[in-house]
Amino acid sequence: MAEISRGERRAGLVNGFAAYGMWGLVPLFWPLLKPAGSLEILAHRMAWSLVFVAVALAFVRRWAWAGELLRQPRRLALVAVAAAVITVNWGVYIWAVNAGHVVEASLGYFINPLVTIAMGVLLLKERLRPVQWTAVGVGLTAVVVLAVGYGQPPWISLVLAFSFATYGLVKKKVNLGGVESLAAETAIQFLPALGYLLWLAGHGESSFVNDGAGHAALLASTGIVTALPLVCFGAAAIRVPLSTLGLLQYLAPVFQFLLGILYFHEAMPAERWAGFALVWVALALLTWDALRTARRSARALAAVAAALPATATAPAPRSQV
């Protein structure tokens, strides 16, 4: 049994590395889709993602959730909100990569955990531990430093961070599996995406139609590029602890950051390095605090578990009657 458990954990880690690795390397993919513009790429991503996940769900015969969702208007409305928010996130990210802002895009996913914590305080009235407050303060300082360095707020990073944090918050309330959630969201996105693609084709501006079979195949593969990491993430999430997933999540922005500097040769002046360094300090504080809290919780649970047998086997007190 222990051997199976180790094998499951190993499989979970492999899937986690695969998911975050693919998300980290995706900036290499979007430039391949030129001369398609960002909106056309986005529309293809929405349309072909639905095709891919529909085939996957048909293969495993998981459709019961769809009927339940359609009978729950509130959850369906939340799925529509999630679809709108992730559309913004995808569109800005594709544009940022193809416009030469890979480093700034990576910053969005570095600061996403800080934004998620801030939203928890503001919207869910969560209470932060002192280290978490410190991390949020350092993160805000980093944004100010970067704004001074850029000459304006790093709006690409902020839009990506806030949209993805909002997406995560809404998905928590919807409580659907990863593939099912993507299917529901892309089903909502599909008709607007298809309408835009047909409009492009009707005006002779569709690169899918005009630029050959190879280019069309690349655009169609956006569905696989979107859904495959999510499938791997789902496989990892049920096999490894959340603390491990929390550490793995930094792989994607690290890869994106390195690609921006080493492959795309984007500029990194001193003030940008200073801003990123502050963000990394904030993330280090968050990670240390999360690991410390997880260890304390594990020790407390172990102590309770150790006390339970003694309580269960203790003799019942005799009646004094």
Side-chain angles (χ1 to χ4, degrees), residues 30 36 44 50 63 85 119 175 184 233 235 262 270 313:
W30 303 126
H44 277 287
L50 177 61
W63 293 107
V85 172
M119 290 178 69
N175 193 27
F233 174 80
L262 302 176
T313 56

Side-chain angles (χ1 to χ4, degrees), residues 177-261:
V179 176
E180 292 87 348
S181 179
L182 182 62
E185 292 154 18
T186 51
I188 291 171
Q189 295 170 331
F190 183 77
L191 285 180
L194 182 62
Y196 178 69
L197 293 174
L198 291 175
W199 181 87
L200 285 178
H203 286 74
E205 298 176 13
S206 169
S207 68
F208 183 84
V209 174
N210 299 333
D211 288 273
H215 180 71
L218 279 173
L219 286 170
S221 69
T222 54
I224 299 174
V225 168
T226 300
L228 189 57
L230 191 63
V231 172
C232 292
F233 174 80
I238 61 175
R239 290 176 172 86
V240 298
L242 280 176
S243 57
T244 304
L245 278 181
L247 293 174
L248 287 176
Q249 73 174 324
Y250 297 126
L251 282 177
V254 165
F255 285 167
Q256 293 165 13
F257 176 76
L258 292 174
L259 282 173
I261 295 174

Side-chain angles (χ1 to χ4, degrees), residues 6 38 64 69 83 258 268-269 297 308-309 318:
R6 283 198 296 272
S38 299
L69 181 62
L258 292 174
M268 280 294 291
S297 299
L308 283 176
R318 293 183 180 179

Side-chain angles (χ1 to χ4, degrees), residues 7 40 91 109 112 125 162 164 168 191 198 218 221 240-241 243 258 270 272-273 288 296 306:
E40 184 179 1
Y109 294 104
N112 176 67
K125 308 302 179 185
F162 275 93
F164 201 71
L191 285 180
L198 291 175
L218 279 173
S221 69
V240 298
S243 57
L258 292 174
R272 193 175 294 184
W273 277 113
W288 173 75
R296 284 179 177 175

Side-chain angles (χ1 to χ4, degrees), residues 18-28 93 102 251-257 259:
Y20 286 108
M22 283 186 277
W23 280 324
L25 296 175
V26 78
L28 295 173
Y93 186 78
V102 176
L251 282 177
V254 165
F255 285 167
Q256 293 165 13
F257 176 76
L259 282 173

